[in-house]
Amino acid sequence: MINAKIENIIAKFLTNQASASELTELEIWGEDSNNKDLFDEYVKINYAIEYNMKEFDSHKVKSKLLEAFTREKKAKKLKKLRKIIYYSAAAVVLGIVTTTYFYNIKPVAEPVKIVNNTISTGTDKAILTLEDGSVVTLEKDKVYEKGNVVSNGKELVYNKDSKGKSGLAYNYLTIPRGGQFQIKLADGTKVWLNSDSKLKFPVAFVEGSLREVELIYGEAFFDVSPSSEHKGAKFKVLNKNQEVEVLGTEFNIKAYKDEDKIYTTLVEGKVAVSGFNSKKYMVPNQQTIINLKNGDITINPIDAYNEVLWTKGIFSFKSKNLKEIMTVMSRWYDVQVVFQNTELEKVKFNGILSKNDNIKEILTIIKKTNFINEYEIKDQKIIIK
């Protein structure tokens, strides 16, 4: 199996984000013939399940990439190769898995219409609400400091010496659409918050007592400070429809207001998920899904690493339909997406994209799959035709 570190470098390689040192590490790793086979199989399973697009020669693309491991010695050449692969392969890799009744659609060569494009790429930003009700705007490269709380514009840090009234003083961190932010709680727990999310948390924890936070809505990845460092105190993440109890672990919760399911994915450790009078115990690479319509809780095997790539600046889609993909895009770019042809919502894709790309670049890649004839950008609205 490919270890998590190499998986991360491969993902960054394909999204044109790998550093020179990471490229060197990937090159050295790929010099082993066994690793070349691992890489080939990994790409096939994770990013090229079915080769249905005639214009995409998957063997040729992968061969070029594998040759780079042993032939290219300079980061400059590797960077050039990454760019070639990204623009020649990303579009077709993204569109590899499709519903069969779209195969015979013949694309119509129509121009892309852009009217007053005001869509910006998402960035680090958040709104901090203090216990007295006052509001602080946190933005990229903007420093905030008050008492034992400090922010560098990307992360908000609560010093473990922060004082609260027996842990009952709470703050709120709200991430707007088009934003993301990180926070380090007073117990050392780290939380990554995705667009359109809100977290309630104490400014200090009572030593030895249960540590509780609430994900009011949205998506968050938690790297929990272990209970062994807090006199055995457990950690809980509350939501109005579920509870997640942990001892010290890494996991992801997705509980958006406009979705009828809650997804909890375990990366490391052990957690118990409770909701609707049911309780499930999870091990790594499992995901629980709570259906808010009927209260059913299911647990499924999953590639947990793939589910949390958003924390590393990467969109990763495995057999996701276009509606699901555009829902993610709408939150990150703070846009409204309208499908004039609702059948297009069902087309499924595999692919990885960089969160640093502007929306026009991503739409162009999707359009190159030939399943979308035209799209229109008008102010903060995207119309897919």
Side-chain angles (χ1 to χ4, degrees):
M1 291 179 61
I2 297 177
N3 64 48
K5 184 177 181 181
I6 294 297
E7 277 190 281
N8 184 28
I9 295 175
I10 291 173
K12 292 170 75 174
F13 178 96
L14 293 173
T15 54
N16 206 24
Q17 298 184 92
S19 66
S21 62
E22 287 171 329
L23 289 172
T24 299
E25 184 173 353
L26 189 59
E27 180 183 6
I28 294 172
W29 177 83
E31 288 176 351
D32 186 320
S33 59
N34 292 328
N35 288 342
K36 291 180 183 179
D37 293 337
L38 280 174
F39 177 86
D40 185 85
E41 188 66 19
Y42 178 80
V43 172
K44 181 178 179 181
I45 292 173
N46 291 278
Y47 300 109
I49 295 175
E50 297 178 20
Y51 301 103
N52 290 319
M53 303 194 69
K54 295 180 180 179
E55 64 269 32
F56 177 51
D57 187 339
S58 62
H59 178 73
K60 183 182 294 184
V61 171
K62 287 187 291 180
S63 294
K64 287 182 179 179
L65 186 53
L66 293 172
E67 287 171 11
F69 288 140
T70 55
R71 187 184 73 248
E72 304 291 350
K73 298 297 182 180
K74 294 183 179 180
K76 184 176 180 180
K77 290 183 179 181
L78 283 168
K79 184 177 181 180
K80 182 178 180 181
L81 180 60
R82 288 205 317 277
K83 188 172 182 180
I84 291 172
I85 291 174
Y86 180 74
Y87 286 107
S88 66
V92 288
V93 170
L94 185 66
I96 283 165
V97 181
T98 61
T99 45
T100 56
Y101 54 85
F102 278 102
Y103 292 159
N104 296 323
I105 290 181
K106 295 181 179 180
V108 178
E110 296 183 21
V112 173
K113 186 176 180 181
I114 300 178
V115 181
N116 190 27
N117 180 15
T118 59
I119 300 173
S120 300
T121 302
T123 188
D124 299 316
K125 58 183 177 181
I127 298 170
L128 173 65
T129 305
L130 303 175
E131 58 267 28
D132 62 3
S134 58
V135 173
V136 179
T137 300
L138 305 175
E139 298 174 343
K140 186 176 182 179
D141 299 326
K142 179 180 178 181
V143 175
Y144 167 77
E145 187 171 359
K146 183 178 181 179
N148 293 314
V149 183
V150 63
S151 173
N152 60 5
K154 180 179 180 179
E155 181 183 29
L156 183 65
V157 177
Y158 281 73
N159 188 289
K160 62 182 179 181
D161 294 327
S162 296
K163 302 299 181 182
K165 296 179 180 179
S166 301
L168 297 179
Y170 286 88
N171 286 179
Y172 295 80
L173 192 63
T174 304
I175 317 301
R177 290 168 64 88
Q180 63 180 7
F181 221 77
Q182 300 174 32
I183 179 172
K184 184 177 180 180
L185 302 177
D187 69 334
T189 293
K190 296 179 181 179
V191 187
W192 286 255
L193 287 158
N194 211 344
S195 304
D196 195 17
S197 302
K198 187 172 186 177
L199 181 73
K200 176 184 178 182
F201 57 94
V203 298
F205 294 91
V206 178
E207 192 172 11
S209 298
L210 176 66
R211 297 169 288 158
E212 277 188 352
V213 301
E214 181 180 359
L215 180 62
I216 297 175
Y217 58 80
E219 182 172 19
F221 174 74
F222 294 83
D223 183 354
V224 178
S225 179
S227 59
S228 58
E229 297 180 5
H230 305 282
K231 297 185 176 180
K234 295 181 180 180
F235 191 96
K236 273 189 179 182
V237 181
L238 307 179
N239 176 269
K240 65 179 181 180
N241 293 301
Q242 76 166 22
E243 286 187 7
V244 177
E245 182 179 325
V246 305
L247 296 176
T249 188
E250 297 180 9
F251 59 98
N252 194 84
I253 301 175
K254 185 166 68 171
Y256 279 106
K257 295 177 291 185
D258 56 355
E259 295 186 5
D260 58 12
K261 293 182 176 67
I262 298 178
Y263 303 85
T264 302
T265 305
L266 182 59
V267 179
E268 290 184 5
K270 184 184 294 184
V271 303
V273 177
S274 303
F276 293 90
N277 298 317
S278 181
K279 191 171 188 177
K280 299 286 185 181
Y281 291 91
M282 299 173 62
V283 297
N285 289 309
Q286 285 187 335
Q287 181 182 75
T288 59
I289 303 175
I290 295 183
N291 188 322
L292 301 181
K293 292 183 177 179
N294 56 28
D296 288 347
I297 301 181
T298 58
I299 187 166
N300 302 313
I302 197 167
D303 179 359
Y305 179 79
N306 188 71
E307 292 294 302
V308 300
L309 277 174
W310 64 267
T311 67
K312 303 180 183 297
I314 297 171
F315 292 123
S316 181
F317 303 111
K318 297 183 70 173
S319 195
K320 298 293 186 182
N321 63 48
L322 190 55
K323 183 177 181 180
E324 292 173 308
I325 292 172
M326 295 314 297
T327 296
V328 174
M329 297 294 105
S330 70
R331 292 178 184 135
W332 178 237
Y333 294 95
D334 189 15
V335 296
Q336 178 186 2
V337 180
V338 176
F339 286 86
Q340 283 193 351
N341 179 357
T342 56
E343 289 298 306
L344 292 174
E345 297 178 348
K346 305 173 185 177
V347 183
K348 290 188 176 181
F349 298 91
N350 277 352
I352 53 177
L353 298 166
S354 171
K355 293 179 73 174
N356 292 325
D357 289 339
N358 65 54
I359 191 65
K360 186 175 180 295
E361 289 174 336
I362 289 179
L363 289 171
T364 298
I365 288 174
I366 294 175
K367 188 174 184 294
K368 284 182 179 178
T369 64
N370 291 335
F371 292 103
I372 296 174
N373 295 331
E374 182 185 2
Y375 69 83
E376 178 180 342
I377 297 177
K378 186 175 182 181
D379 297 323
Q380 290 296 114
K381 179 185 291 187
I382 297 171
I383 303 170
I384 296 178
K385 304 177 180 182

